[in-house]
Amino acid sequence: MREWLARFVDWFRRDWLDRELAEELRFHGEQLERDSGIAGAEAGRTARRQLGNVTMVREAARERWSIPALDQVLQDTRFAVRGLRRSPGFTATVVVTLALGIGGNVAMFDVVDRLMYRPLAYLRDPASTHRIYWQWRDRGVMGTRLSAPYTRYLDLRRWTTSFAELAAFSERQVAVGEGESTRERRVGTVSASWFTLFDARPALGRFFAADEDVTPRGADVAVLSHAFWRSAFGGRDVRGERLQVGNVRATIIGVAPPGFSGVDDANPPDLFIPITTYAASTGTDDARTYFNRYLWGWVNVLVRVKPGVTLAQAERDATEAFRRSWQAARDDSPMSPALDDARPQVRVSSIRTGAGPDPGLEARTALWLTMVAGIVLLIACANVANLVLARFLQRQRETALRLALGVGQGRLAMQALIEGLALAFPGGVAGLLVAQWAGAALRGTLVTTPGAPTALLSDGRTLGVTLGLTVLVGIVIGLVPALLRTGRDLARALRGGMRSGTPEGIGVRTALLVAQGALSVVLLVGAALFVRSLQAVRAMPLGYEPGNVLLLNRVIRGAGFDADLQRATRDVMLSTAQAVPEVEFAAWMSSAPFVSTSATILHVAGMDSVERLGSFTFQATTPDYFRTMGTRIVRGRALDREDRAGSPPVAIVSESMARVLWPGQDAMGQCFRMRDPTASCTTIVGIAEDIVQHDLAGAERFHYYVSIDQYTRTWGNGMVLRVRGDAGAAAEGIRQAVQGVMPGEQYVTVRRLSDVVHAQQRPWQLGATMFVAFGGLALVVAAVGLYGVIGYSVAQRMHELGVRIALGAQRRDIVRLVTGQGVRSAFAGVALGVLVALAASRWLQPLLFRQSATDPVVYGGVVVVMMGVAVAACLLPALRASRAAPTAALRSE
């Protein structure tokens, strides 16, 4: 070991040692020459004879301070780099191809890693810390929920023994600041025990303690995030300062450390307050009962499992507590499903919901896109392998000559491997740049807030994956030449030319070509299916026209919650908005599509349970709602100004609701009761078209509308406005006009309904965009690969083709001959790809929107496109071969 360590040290200073040895040998030669007593040239010859074989001595010494294997690697690296510099076109093509393949995979890994697998910053014990997922059956379907009432969190603390720590949290958009500086910010409402799950020390001050997080109301304290502290307060000492957070006048007691983001590093909170403080300050009916009733489901729960307790044991323990909690909730609200029907259970799983028991559509789409990126890398590797094989076959004479001179097969294989790595590493570096540039939009869509910076080039996990992919690709493309049996016939290889027999390597290259075609078909089928899904989701009738519609939301701060004050404020806001010139119609509302949902218990005469038929949601609104939203009244009438408090309650129901509650009957004139079976009967005076309220993919469209004046449980907190012209351009003027009449610290926010709808379409938009991008890239790479194979085959067969032309073959015969070879390979690839796509359709189907994964139109279109591209790629070299002069072809090699 000591000898090899000395060798390693000497290897770095071998040039200096070589100079020292040369100086030593020269000195000894001079001494021998001086001591010989002979003058002139004879003295030098005598000294050299006495000194011996100097070259042998120098070689022996060099061997002592060198590492032969390392020297060989350096020699082969220099040889490979010189060879690649002599072929800039080949090198550039390979590097660009690998950059696209590796870059796409690195970008997708970064997304999936952040969505599902990356440990949270500062998390104390990642292996033992998990999120609670609540599951129960609803109308026969087991569903998974993240949030639960605060009382359920308390029940887990009381009735479980498997957890060392439990913490409750909820992240909300809350108004922070006063006056013109007020902004909606993300606020983490957390229990005091939440901080104990993290190994983080405050950058300033302290976190809040257990006695500051108590029911019914915690202390009015706040902890700032490090980024918010720096941006909003300049990094000064803010301890003891007051900050308005919603309805809480909070005292700042500390600042979190840099990079501390809690459970959502994609969209971290700006500050943290006690969860009991937030709940008690909301000013709603739920605020008074959040800790002893089960009506408000808004809390997420983290747990740290005790040492020695398995996840299965923890789930059984938590499930038993959940069942007790469910029964307690049923005692509080008898209308909830029975325990045996609901079958409640708990899953203890990943903190990141993308890796939880029921990942969302975006997470599942991201996983599919990761596989797509892997397919693109395989296609890129197959294309590069074809190029490497072509280059290797062009160098057959050189390789055969080296074998004839005694170079071993192992040395040649090592040289090929080093050349593959020399090609892959520039591709990997370029791939990182591609991932940083092209993947920014993808990461912003899925894992970060818009405009958030990304640090992919400094991220150790991503760099490690890039290095691993690069080395793997380098090994694959470096060992491809070993698939050919070069060296078995040195004489034939040394004779060389293209006339020495049939084209070599064509079998391996054709197999790679078929694989490229098959994988390209799979990607193109996926792209076409997602594009058709996106078209279907965009064309789906929503029951309203979101184009020129704005959603205005009122945020209550500081003002009292007296019903008369709320109604007066509502009327002033509505009249102010209607007076804005750009506003065509305006209406007050209790819920907005994809933002909030209002629901209550319904009672219909002759029907035991309405809830078993589905989920019935309602809109409490003012008369102009239907004209504002663009929702059609199919029969009867809309709400009007006569439907006010004190008049008989009326309702408008959707077509689906009328059909399911009164099958075979005319719903007009029917009635139902809301909340209480003894309440006044609400008469149906109109039937509206179905709308999409909260789920694009859901089949249920049971929705009804009541007058906000007649439905006194809530006055609503928002308006919907239809504007003339561009809604985005009018938004700020409308906001300022309405803000001017807001009492106290209340304020309003405005956004476009079309933005809300587009956010719901994002998974299909993402799938269509990325599948099309990857599919198009795969198609181009496959076409280039086919062109290269056919072109090289033509070059190898020029002698044969020249003979054919000389013997009378027509140009069309040559074109048919050459094109047929490529078309047959392409057809084999297409057929194989169709089979693979059909086999994968069962897993792709859940990601599609009203689109069959085995649509024959899609498959037929992809086949036509692929075969068309194949014919075009084959025609160019075929036409070039058909135009060649027979004499030139016969002389060519």
Side-chain angles (χ1 to χ4, degrees):
M1 183 64 183
R2 184 177 299 174
E3 178 185 352
W4 280 104
L5 182 60
R7 278 176 177 263
F8 186 73
V9 173
D10 289 343
W11 186 83
F12 284 100
R13 56 178 190 152
R14 59 191 183 280
D15 292 338
W16 179 81
L17 291 173
D18 194 50
R19 290 193 298 270
E20 287 290 306
L21 177 60
E23 180 63 25
E24 185 74 16
L25 291 173
R26 186 187 62 77
F27 173 76
H28 282 292
E30 291 175 352
Q31 290 293 323
L32 290 172
E33 186 176 345
R34 186 170 56 249
D35 295 344
S36 67
I38 304 174
E42 185 61 28
R45 287 192 291 271
T46 302
R48 285 193 293 273
R49 283 195 301 270
Q50 291 178 345
L51 193 61
N53 190 336
V54 175
T55 302
M56 184 178 296
V57 171
R58 295 182 69 173
E59 288 295 330
R62 285 173 182 154
E63 185 178 350
R64 167 63 183 78
W65 63 60
S66 69
I67 304 175
L70 191 56
D71 288 335
Q72 284 187 7
V73 169
L74 288 177
Q75 291 170 7
D76 291 342
T77 301
R78 287 193 291 268
F79 177 81
V81 171
R82 287 197 301 270
L84 296 178
R85 289 176 60 185
R86 286 196 299 269
S87 306
F90 166 81
T91 304
T93 301
V94 170
V95 169
V96 170
T97 303
L98 291 181
L100 294 173
I102 293 174
N105 279 267
V106 170
M108 286 310 307
F109 166 79
D110 183 59
V111 167
V112 173
D113 186 42
R114 292 176 188 272
L115 277 175
M116 300 183 182
Y117 305 117
R118 185 179 296 248
L120 295 170
Y122 295 99
L123 191 61
R124 184 184 301 275
D125 191 358
S128 300
T129 306
H130 306 277
R131 186 192 291 260
I132 293 293
Y133 295 83
W134 314 92
Q135 295 183 333
W136 66 85
R137 296 178 68 85
D138 183 14
R139 295 190 297 277
V141 178
M142 182 67 75
T144 302
R145 286 83 172 174
L146 296 176
S147 58
Y150 184 82
T151 40
R152 196 140 283 154
Y153 158 70
L154 297 178
D155 291 344
L156 277 189
R157 293 183 61 179
R158 284 193 294 262
W159 295 331
T160 58
T161 59
S162 299
F163 305 120
E165 296 284 353
L166 294 96
F169 72 97
S170 179
E171 295 180 352
R172 328 287 289 186
Q173 290 295 122
V174 179
V176 176
E178 298 176 84
E180 289 298 321
S181 65
T182 300
R183 296 290 184 274
E184 276 203 334
R185 298 190 180 276
R186 195 166 181 83
V187 175
T189 67
V190 302
S191 62
S193 58
W194 189 79
F195 290 105
T196 65
L197 297 174
F198 298 87
D199 190 15
R201 294 185 177 182
L204 183 69
R206 63 179 179 85
F207 297 134
F208 43 83
D211 60 357
E212 294 171 309
D213 173 39
V214 294
T215 57
R217 182 187 175 103
D220 293 348
V221 294
V223 175
L224 308 183
S225 73
H226 195 274
F228 181 55
W229 173 56
R230 299 287 296 181
S231 63
F233 298 92
R236 70 175 188 271
D237 190 345
V238 293
R239 288 175 292 180
E241 293 188 19
R242 307 296 291 273
L243 179 66
Q244 190 72 34
V245 183
N247 293 319
V248 177
R249 186 74 172 170
T251 301
I252 301 173
I253 62 172
V255 176
F260 182 76
S261 57
V263 299
D264 190 358
D265 46 15
N267 193 14
D270 288 314
L271 65 152
F272 305 89
I273 63 174
I275 194 168
T276 52
T277 301
Y278 170 78
S281 69
T282 56
T284 63
D285 292 339
D286 293 326
R288 294 185 290 272
T289 60
Y290 77 93
F291 58 94
N292 55 26
R293 299 196 68 185
Y294 296 84
L295 301 178
W296 183 17
W298 60 291
V299 173
N300 286 246
V301 179
L302 294 186
V303 296
R304 183 162 60 85
V305 179
K306 289 181 178 179
V309 177
T310 66
L311 283 184
Q313 292 171 333
E315 286 182 348
R316 286 194 296 270
D317 186 21
T319 295
E320 182 57 34
F322 186 22
R323 291 175 64 85
R324 293 177 64 182
S325 179
W326 187 277
Q327 188 58 51
R330 182 168 168 77
D331 294 340
D332 183 42
S333 177
M335 296 303 296
S336 59
L339 189 64
D340 291 339
D341 294 333
R343 301 179 190 176
Q345 64 183 32
V346 166
R347 295 292 303 277
V348 182
S349 189
S350 171
I351 293 179
R352 296 192 181 275
T353 57
D358 188 16
L361 184 58
E362 285 186 355
R364 288 181 282 137
T365 302
L367 280 177
W368 266 91
L369 290 175
T370 301
M371 290 186 283
V372 167
I375 292 175
V376 171
L377 182 59
L378 289 177
I379 294 173
C381 287
N383 186 270
V384 170
N386 262 327
L387 293 173
V388 169
L389 277 176
R391 189 166 183 268
F392 172 77
L393 292 170
Q394 289 174 347
R395 297 164 58 189
Q396 275 188 311
R397 282 185 179 179
E398 172 195 332
T399 304
L401 181 60
R402 298 182 71 194
L403 287 170
L405 292 176
V407 177
Q409 291 276 9
R411 180 68 184 274
L412 288 178
M414 177 59 69
Q415 200 170 75
L417 178 60
I418 290 174
E419 187 168 307
L421 292 172
L423 284 168
F425 271 96
V429 173
L432 265 180
L433 299 177
V434 169
Q436 177 70 18
W437 171 68
L442 181 62
R443 291 190 300 275
T445 298
L446 284 176
V447 298
T448 60
T449 53
T454 55
L456 188 146
L457 296 179
S458 61
D459 179 49
R461 290 167 68 89
T462 303
L463 291 176
V465 169
T466 305
L467 178 62
L469 276 177
T470 301
V471 172
L472 179 62
V473 169
I475 292 173
V476 170
I477 65 177
L479 295 182
V480 160
L483 296 173
L484 296 183
R485 297 175 292 178
T486 303
R488 289 196 175 185
D489 189 351
L490 290 181
R492 176 186 171 195
L494 288 170
R495 286 197 304 271
M498 301 299 173
R499 290 180 284 179
S500 59
T502 58
E504 297 186 59
I506 196 65
V508 175
R509 301 193 70 196
T510 300
L512 291 171
L513 193 63
V514 170
Q516 281 182 268
L519 295 174
S520 299
V521 167
V522 173
L523 294 192
L524 289 176
V525 167
L529 291 173
F530 264 101
V531 167
R532 288 174 69 91
S533 284
L534 182 60
Q535 292 173 341
V537 76
R538 286 178 172 174
M540 182 186 67
L542 298 174
Y544 43 83
E545 301 170 5
N548 290 358
V549 174
L550 291 173
L551 300 177
L552 184 145
N553 184 57
R554 176 185 63 168
V555 180
I556 301 174
R557 295 180 66 190
F561 299 98
D562 177 76
D564 292 335
L565 176 60
Q566 287 204 52
R567 180 170 181 172
T569 301
R570 184 198 79 194
D571 293 341
V572 171
M573 290 174 63
L574 189 58
S575 60
T576 302
Q578 290 171 332
V580 176
E582 290 85 359
V583 175
E584 187 174 4
F585 301 109
W588 201 260
M589 62 180 180
S590 62
S591 58
F594 307 113
V595 176
S596 59
T597 300
S598 301
T600 190
I601 298 173
L602 293 183
H603 302 275
V604 176
M607 190 173 294
D608 293 336
S609 174
V610 173
E611 282 68 31
R612 64 181 176 79
L613 298 176
S615 175
F616 294 81
T617 58
F618 73 89
Q619 179 72 274
T621 185
T622 50
D624 280 339
Y625 179 82
F626 295 95
R627 289 193 295 177
T628 305
M629 291 292 288
T631 301
R632 294 182 300 108
I633 300 296
V634 179
R635 294 179 57 200
R637 66 173 178 89
L639 298 173
D640 59 33
R641 303 192 187 283
E642 298 302 318
D643 301 321
R644 55 182 179 267
S647 62
V650 298
I652 317 297
V653 300
S654 67
E655 293 178 283
S656 293
M657 179 172 173
R659 189 165 46 249
V660 74
L661 289 184
W662 296 279
Q665 304 178 53
D666 186 359
M668 294 290 293
Q670 302 282 357
C671 78
F672 57 85
R673 303 176 193 275
M674 300 175 64
R675 299 195 298 268
D676 194 312
T678 62
S680 299
C681 190
T682 300
T683 304
I684 299 173
V685 296
I687 298 176
E689 64 177 315
D690 290 344
I691 69 160
V692 179
Q693 175 68 19
H694 55 83
D695 184 7
L696 282 173
E700 293 181 350
R701 298 290 185 260
F702 307 147
H703 198 68
Y704 59 102
Y705 309 83
V706 297
S707 169
I708 201 168
D709 289 326
Q710 294 179 343
Y711 188 77
T712 57
R713 181 173 181 266
T714 176
W715 297 111
N717 278 326
M719 283 191 291
V720 56
L721 307 100
R722 178 166 294 279
V723 302
R724 301 177 180 90
D726 182 27
E732 180 58 21
I734 295 172
R735 188 198 69 80
Q736 291 179 359
V738 178
Q739 181 65 53
V741 300
M742 298 297 293
E745 293 295 322
Q746 298 186 37
Y747 74 101
V748 296
T749 61
V750 179
R751 55 177 161 170
R752 295 185 298 183
L753 178 58
S754 58
D755 292 338
V756 177
V757 173
H758 290 159
Q760 299 299 313
Q761 298 171 347
R762 187 172 60 181
W764 296 283
Q765 174 74 52
L766 173 68
T769 302
M770 298 307 297
F771 260 100
V772 167
F774 285 136
L777 175 61
L779 183 61
V780 171
V781 172
V784 171
L786 179 60
Y787 173 82
V789 169
I790 299 302
Y792 186 75
S793 174
V794 166
Q796 284 187 307
R797 299 175 63 185
M798 284 303 292
H799 177 73
E800 172 203 337
L801 297 174
V803 172
R804 289 176 180 269
I805 294 174
L807 293 177
Q810 300 297 313
R811 292 183 183 273
R812 62 176 177 273
D813 299 323
I814 300 300
V815 171
R816 188 184 306 114
L817 177 68
V818 174
T819 305
Q821 174 192 347
V823 169
R824 284 191 295 272
S825 299
F827 183 78
V830 168
L832 180 60
V834 167
L835 293 177
V836 173
L838 287 172
S841 63
R842 56 182 294 190
W843 294 285
L844 185 62
Q845 184 65 61
L847 303 181
L848 303 177
F849 183 85
R850 299 182 182 178
Q851 169 63 43
S852 171
T854 58
D855 187 346
V857 174
V858 168
Y859 284 78
V862 169
V863 169
V864 170
V865 169
M866 281 296 298
M867 294 307 298
V869 170
V871 170
C874 296
L875 274 177
L876 294 177
L879 291 173
R880 187 169 62 248
S882 68
R883 295 192 186 103
T887 54
L890 291 172
R891 287 196 303 266
S892 68
E893 289 190 357

